[in-house]
Amino acid sequence: MTKRVAILISGGGSNMVALARSMTRDHPARPCLVVSNVPDVAGLERAEALGIPTDCVDHRQFNGDRVAFEAALQSALVEHTPDILCLAGFMRILTAEFVTQWDGRMLNIHPSLLPKYKGLNTHARAIEAGDTEAGCTVHEVTPELDDGPILGQARVPILPGDTPDTLAGRILPLEHQLYPAVLRRYAAGDRTPVHLPS
């Protein structure tokens, strides 16, 4: 039975596009909805161009009331009956109560080699630490930030003279490969981690 996938975004949606374009032919899932917490972002236009239903739940309209925001988000999602949620550049920290509703059904991609560098500014932190490599991780979402079971990683070397921007530029294409590869396995019920070569 084909799984239905909702994708949450906050911006341009490049990972969303990679996921959506991968869900064709014999893929065990199909996109059913793209939701942004920011109105008028390019990602919503890109989803519409791909023929995917879209919605926006603008977090700013809730004046910091996370419970009310998440209730509205949950309502938008439930209407489209997704089996899996994929966070793809969704820049809101979700409460434990929301995450628990989707336990075992929500994925996120994070721009570091978790468990290193949870949170923000991951590329700068890796460079400042003198690391020899960086990358990205797809993981199941749990109430603890960036802490769920790791389902895939891709790695790149950190080169002399790298800046956060140059490093991000090399990692992003790997994100676009890794996330679809993990989702395909995950939707088929296979949680074996995916490891992409650098």
Side-chain angles (χ1 to χ4, degrees), residues 25 37 45 61 63 89 109 116 119 147 158 162:
R25 295 186 291 278
N37 66 300
E45 294 178 11
Q61 294 182 353
N63 299 312
I109 188 158
K116 283 188 169 184
D147 196 56
I158 297 177
D162 256 336

Side-chain angles (χ1 to χ4, degrees), residues 144-155:
E144 182 89 19
L145 180 67
D146 298 330
D147 196 56
I150 291 172
L151 298 173
Q153 289 189 320
R155 298 168 182 266

Side-chain angles (χ1 to χ4, degrees), residues 32-96:
C32 67
L33 178 68
V34 172
V35 182
S36 175
N37 66 300
V38 182
D40 303 320
V41 293
L44 291 174
E45 294 178 11
R46 297 171 86 178
E48 289 167 3
L50 291 167
I52 306 168
T54 62
D55 203 344
C56 178
V57 181
D58 187 348
H59 69 277
R60 293 169 297 186
Q61 294 182 353
F62 295 89
N63 299 312
D65 186 341
R66 293 171 72 190
V67 172
F69 164 69
E70 290 180 353
L73 180 60
Q74 177 74 356
S75 178
L77 290 167
V78 167
E79 185 177 331
H80 292 264
T81 62
D83 301 295
I84 298 169
L85 297 188
C86 288
L87 308 184
F90 185 69
M91 302 303 291
R92 303 299 297 172
I93 295 175
L94 296 165
T95 66

Side-chain angles (χ1 to χ4, degrees), residues 105-140:
R105 297 187 292 152
M106 182 161 33
L107 303 179
N108 182 47
I109 188 158
H110 183 74
S112 80
L113 295 173
L114 291 175
K116 283 188 169 184
Y117 313 124
K118 299 174 184 180
L120 302 175
N121 304 315
T122 57
H123 304 314
R125 291 158 66 194
I127 291 169
E128 288 165 7
D131 291 355
T132 59
E133 63 179 4
C136 55
T137 303
V138 177
H139 65 96
E140 273 192 56

